[in-house]
Amino acid sequence: MLTVTEARERILSHFQATTEETLPLIKCANRILAVDITAAHELPLFNNSSMDGFAIRAVDSRSAAVDSSLTLSVVADIPAGSAPTVTLGQGQAARIMTGAQIPAGADAVIPVEDTDFNSREAGTAAPQTVSFTRTVKAGENVRTRGMDLHTGDVVLRKSRRLKPQDLGLLAMLGIANVKVHKKARIALLSSGSELIEVDAPLTEGKIHDSNSYALAAAIESTGAEVVRLGVAKDTLESVTGLLEKAAHEKVDLIISSAGVSVGAFDYVKEVIESKGKLDFWRVNMRPGKPLAFGEYRGKAFIGLPGNPVSAFVGFEIFVRPVLEKLSGQLDGSRLTVKVRCGEEIESDGRESYLRAKIRNESGVYIAALTGHQGSGNLLSLVQADALLIIPAGVKCLPVGQEVDAILL
Ligand code: AMP
Ligand code: MG
């Protein structure tokens, strides 16, 4: 049986990043950048004030002191967005607003709070003179041209997932359209004659299909699009019907849950093999041993286990990396950190992924399991913030033992 690492590598090698498209900036949040972004101009573009106050020549303020107030004549009023026309001479100041361009001659800004002009009301005209009682250093409260970045700087690298703040920076640089990777499209289906829709009344022996909700959300969390195809019954015809539907969709991958084990009604493997091929259908791990990979009518197929926790773990370990690769992303978005066992943890020797809650005790991360680790116990996954990775061959981890944890 394949190990987790072998299975993941085998799956990943079948995929490559989607092609690129150019989108208006507002559509680019969470997309993966397809090119390096270079600044076409420097930032800030011009020397500007970081405070509301008075632009001055720092040298003029040398004589100002607590017991010796300095008075300058105010020769201009510079609101944000205007281009100053004055050049400050000796003894002169200009009222200036945050973000407004520093006039020629000035090299510092004294904040309005530090002057005798303390009218804070909007619309107040600039005073004739302004006085203050401290010296001002050259450069004080001035954001100088190019201090943040220079023309030609690479500000964002290809393969980065665009964050809200990235969009802000792109806008600052006047980049209205961005080359990003296309969204991956994923067909999703469930299988099992016991499954009914979430809004259907529960009758004897039936349960709500929960996997397609958790998995659809998980797929979308990677930026991919989901085509939800519903539930197949445990019959050859029904499973074939849904897989045919999936094969006719324009999708990069078909994902199903359940029906890939060794039950008498597990038809998924058989149907996959009828019109495609099965690469493998088991992985040596817990939870989630029944995990199938192959293709159906030329489309990549991953069959996740049916048990809700197994389906989720299978998604995190095998599908999320695929979706990230498809989306063009370089680094995985899940962080693996070292934590310590807060209790003795038993395992069965298979590589195991256990649900745990992590707490911080004086800087040390301590993991506590969130209840029994049955693969149907979804609540224990809901309560977890990490999956502990218990390596193959390990049967017992003592209290205090260091272990890897995937943060959820
Ligand atoms: P199977 O892989 O078909 O043997 O299913 C394993 C377990 O997962 C059974 O208890 C199923 O009822 C359960 N199961 C399968 N599919 C789903 C689903 N979509 N939502 C919730 N539970 C499911
Ligand atoms: Mg079943």
Side-chain angles (χ1 to χ4, degrees):
M1 214 184 311
L2 294 179
T3 65
V4 170
T5 307
E6 286 164 350
R8 183 167 42 218
E9 276 167 11
R10 209 133 127 189
I11 295 175
L12 275 173
S13 69
H14 281 78
F15 296 90
Q16 56 191 38
T18 54
T19 52
E20 295 150 16
E21 62 183 339
T22 299
L23 291 184
L25 182 56
I26 196 68
K27 298 277 183 203
C28 291
N30 214 28
R31 287 299 192 99
I32 308 298
L33 200 51
V35 289
D36 287 344
I37 299 287
T38 305
H41 61 70
E42 55 195 342
L43 283 178
L45 256 178
F46 48 86
N47 294 343
N48 70 91
S49 178
S50 66
M51 299 288 274
D52 294 324
F54 292 85
I56 63 164
R57 294 152 27 104
V59 54
D60 287 355
S61 74
R62 271 195 204 145
S63 64
V66 180
D67 53 358
S68 159
S69 156
L70 172 76
T71 299
L72 301 175
S73 60
V74 177
V75 297
D77 194 14
I78 311 170
S82 70
T85 50
V86 293
T87 298
L88 291 195
Q90 195 184 349
Q92 295 184 327
R95 185 168 74 157
I96 192 165
M97 302 301 143
T98 305
Q101 189 166 349
I102 303 286
D107 61 359
V109 171
I110 180 149
V112 68
E113 296 89 327
D114 296 354
T115 70
D116 65 334
F117 183 69
N118 46 24
S119 167
R120 300 289 158 75
E121 261 160 54
T124 315
Q128 298 286 312
T129 62
V130 64
S131 305
F132 49 92
T133 55
R134 71 167 178 88
T135 57
V136 180
K137 285 203 280 294
E140 210 177 306
N141 300 314
V142 176
R143 301 187 283 218
T144 54
R145 174 175 184 158
M147 77 186 286
D148 297 347
L149 62 92
H150 296 113
T151 307
D153 285 354
V154 175
V155 292
L156 294 170
R157 293 267 175 209
K158 179 180 153 79
S159 302
R160 175 188 176 92
R161 185 173 292 276
L162 288 171
K163 302 176 186 179
Q165 55 269 44
D166 300 348
L167 268 53
L169 183 63
L170 290 164
M172 274 189 175
L173 291 168
I175 298 172
N177 298 290
V178 187
K179 204 177 231 192
V180 293
H181 284 278
K182 284 189 176 152
K183 280 190 175 191
R185 282 189 100 221
I186 313 300
L188 178 65
L189 54 118
S190 300
S191 76
S193 296
E194 73 279 31
L195 304 175
I196 55 172
E197 253 309 324
V198 68
D199 55 357
L202 286 167
T203 53
E204 195 94 6
K206 303 291 188 193
I207 59 171
H208 294 300
D209 162 27
S210 60
N211 286 349
S212 75
Y213 287 88
L215 293 173
I219 292 166
E220 282 176 349
S221 76
T222 71
E225 238 167 62
V226 188
V227 183
R228 291 184 76 207
L229 294 175
V231 179
K233 298 249 174 284
D234 290 322
T235 65
L236 204 59
E237 299 71 41
S238 185
V239 171
T240 306
L242 268 202
L243 278 170
E244 282 297 307
K245 232 169 135 180
H248 284 95
E249 290 284 345
K250 226 175 146 279
V251 290
D252 301 286
L253 170 66
I254 303 168
I255 298 175
S256 74
S257 69
V260 287
S261 195
V262 290
F265 297 94
D266 290 344
Y267 286 110
V268 175
K269 285 183 304 201
E270 189 180 324
V271 176
I272 293 293
E273 285 192 302
S274 70
K275 306 228 174 53
K277 61 174 193 273
L278 209 53
D279 187 349
F280 60 83
W281 60 279
R282 283 184 311 173
V283 179
N284 197 7
M285 68 185 289
R286 181 179 70 119
K289 181 166 99 176
L291 188 128
F293 175 60
E295 60 172 71
Y296 186 79
R297 288 195 185 276
K299 289 217 150 77
F301 167 83
I302 297 178
L304 294 169
N307 277 303
V309 176
S310 313
F312 180 89
V313 171
F315 179 90
E316 286 300 326
I317 305 305
F318 301 103
V319 183
R320 184 179 292 280
V322 166
L323 300 189
E324 288 173 347
K325 186 171 182 189
L326 271 173
S327 75
Q329 192 177 340
L330 198 58
D331 304 315
S333 40
R334 290 291 193 223
L335 221 56
T336 299
V337 299
K338 299 268 183 220
V339 302
R340 285 184 188 283
C341 298
E343 62 200 80
E344 186 177 286
I345 293 177
E346 286 179 1
S347 188
D348 72 354
R350 276 182 288 169
E351 180 162 332
S352 300
Y353 292 81
L354 306 185
R355 289 142 261 169
K357 190 146 186 68
I358 311 290
R359 62 178 188 275
N360 185 334
E361 266 178 26
S362 326
V364 181
Y365 290 107
I366 309 284
L369 298 185
T370 55
H372 85 81
Q373 299 286 311
S375 53
N377 181 9
L378 195 58
L379 183 62
S380 67
L381 177 62
V382 168
Q383 290 166 341
D385 30 50
L387 293 173
L388 304 185
I389 308 175
I390 317 299
V394 173
K395 295 216 160 157
C396 180
L397 294 175
V399 175
Q401 171 73 48
E402 199 174 69
V403 62
D404 282 331
I406 303 170
L407 299 182
L408 296 176

